[in-house]
Amino acid sequence: GGGGGGGGGSGGGGGGGDSPSGGCPQEANLEEPQQFDAMLAARASARKDVVITILGPTSGTRAIKMEEEVGEAFVLNLLSTLASVGVTNTLPITTHLKLPSHPGNNLCLTRLRPRGVCCAYSGVGMGVVHQGAPGRSWTVEETHPYMLFLQRWWLTGQAVWRGYSVLSLDTDLHLSTNPLAMLRAPPYSTFDALMQLDSAWAVQGDSEGQVPTDERGQHVNVVPCRRRLLAPSAAVDAHGCACGAVPAPLLNTGFVYVRAAAAAGATSLPQLIFNRSVAKIMHRLARPPNHDAKGAVDPHAVWAQDVVNEVASEMAS
């Protein structure tokens, strides 16, 4: 699961064709390219859309702790809700901890498949957060919730490059319509990537270190204002703060749709958002951690949602 607001909305209609193209391949290790390809080919629709969500054991101070039965119930409820609006081209994924003695090592194999749920699994980055590995210094371990999102964005980047469009959903979303039909219709149909917002539009700061006054004070972008760096002019005064790239609100990654490029193997900007996010996280986990002003480890630089915001901001034009 994970945080995030509602995603469904209303309208958008039913729309057929949101069913898998094949059955459920027995082999489900997404880190094996042939198995990855076979799984996408089977679970995606004829339109090459696939809907993913994730399940995994979670621990740590930043996790909402859920027993396996509760986490599984969230996944099953989401799948049931999607099926009720005509969406069955789904692929729940689980973390593969790569810890054979851990009871939650691979919940796809031990929890979902025995329930008849077609699922797959991956353990990208687990080696760098095993005991004694450098990622542990970031306070991240195999069951840290950050590792769940890392799998989602790795899968998204890989699938979109292969020509599949991916809808990634938190398990706690409320959906009242077919989300894929909604995304195929105006006004959403013209966009290659869609996400939720975690804030209103960014506050345009007038001075360095300004604190926002019109937000709740959490997860707020204050965009540096260039007005004081520019020569006074009527144009600047008339159009307000000149901030270069349009300031963006903070993105929430609970409801994410990434549309594939026209041809498989073509690199697209939306795909790069997620590939670069994964690359940044993996690189950072292999080096010493960041610390806050009080000297405590600050793991936000490896928190997938923050890194997606970081990369999206870097790529904004």
Side-chain angles (χ1 to χ4, degrees):
S10 60
D18 294 318
S19 57
S21 298
C24 184
Q26 183 175 359
E27 295 181 316
N29 182 359
L30 298 179
E31 293 181 77
E32 293 292 338
Q34 289 184 336
Q35 296 182 36
F36 192 112
D37 291 338
M39 186 62 70
L40 285 178
R43 299 309 302 169
S45 67
R47 294 186 179 96
K48 303 193 80 172
D49 276 317
V50 64
V51 182
I52 67 168
T53 191
I54 193 161
L55 174 67
T58 56
S59 63
T61 58
R62 296 176 185 272
I64 298 175
K65 294 183 177 65
M66 292 192 294
E67 299 296 331
E68 287 183 1
E69 292 81 2
V70 178
E72 181 182 331
F74 269 72
V75 171
L76 296 176
N77 180 69
L78 178 64
L79 295 177
S80 176
T81 300
L82 287 166
S84 73
V85 294
V87 178
T88 55
N89 51 323
T90 51
L91 180 62
I93 57 174
T94 71
T95 46
H96 180 202
L97 306 184
K98 302 182 180 179
L99 300 172
S101 62
H102 194 288
N105 179 50
N106 190 328
L107 296 182
C108 173
L109 300 184
T110 60
R111 303 289 303 190
L112 295 183
R113 291 227 166 190
R115 295 290 300 268
V117 177
C118 186
C119 58
Y121 58 87
S122 64
V124 173
M126 291 299 176
V128 79
V129 297
H130 281 334
Q131 185 65 44
R136 280 295 178 99
S137 63
W138 286 86
T139 71
V140 175
E141 58 186 3
E142 298 88 350
T143 56
H144 197 289
Y146 288 8
M147 300 304 290
L148 276 71
F149 276 85
L150 183 62
Q151 310 312 308
R152 283 166 71 169
W153 306 145
W154 175 79
L155 187 157
T156 297
Q158 293 289 320
V160 172
W161 184 81
R162 285 167 164 83
Y164 294 88
S165 299
V166 177
L167 175 60
S168 173
L169 300 175
D170 277 1
T171 57
D172 60 358
L173 293 177
H174 170 70
L175 300 170
S176 60
T177 191
N178 179 334
L180 293 172
M182 181 182 73
L183 294 165
R184 288 193 292 266
Y188 305 109
S189 57
T190 59
F191 296 97
D192 293 326
L194 296 99
M195 304 185 200
Q196 293 171 274
L197 302 185
D198 236 2
S199 73
W201 290 95
V203 179
Q204 291 188 336
D206 190 58
S207 60
E208 184 71 23
Q210 176 181 332
V211 176
T213 57
D214 60 344
E215 293 285 351
R216 64 179 185 264
Q218 183 181 14
H219 300 309
V220 176
N221 277 337
V222 179
V223 179
C225 180
R226 295 182 182 176
R227 175 180 292 181
R228 298 186 181 204
L229 303 179
L230 300 173
S233 71
V236 170
D237 290 338
H239 294 94
C241 188
C243 293
V246 175
L250 283 174
L251 304 171
N252 181 290
T253 54
F255 182 102
V256 173
Y257 183 66
V258 186
R259 210 179 304 274
T267 300
S268 65
L269 290 178
Q271 174 222 340
L272 287 178
I273 291 176
F274 298 98
N275 279 358
R276 289 184 181 180
S277 296
V278 171
K280 279 178 177 282
I281 292 168
M282 295 291 290
H283 173 74
R284 289 169 179 171
L285 284 172
R287 65 168 176 77
N290 295 350
H291 293 81
D292 61 23
K294 296 181 179 179
V297 172
D298 180 6
H300 284 94
V302 294
W303 163 220
Q305 182 163 282
D306 283 2
V307 179
V308 166
N309 272 275
E310 175 188 343
V311 173
S313 178
E314 290 174 353
M315 295 176 63
S317 61

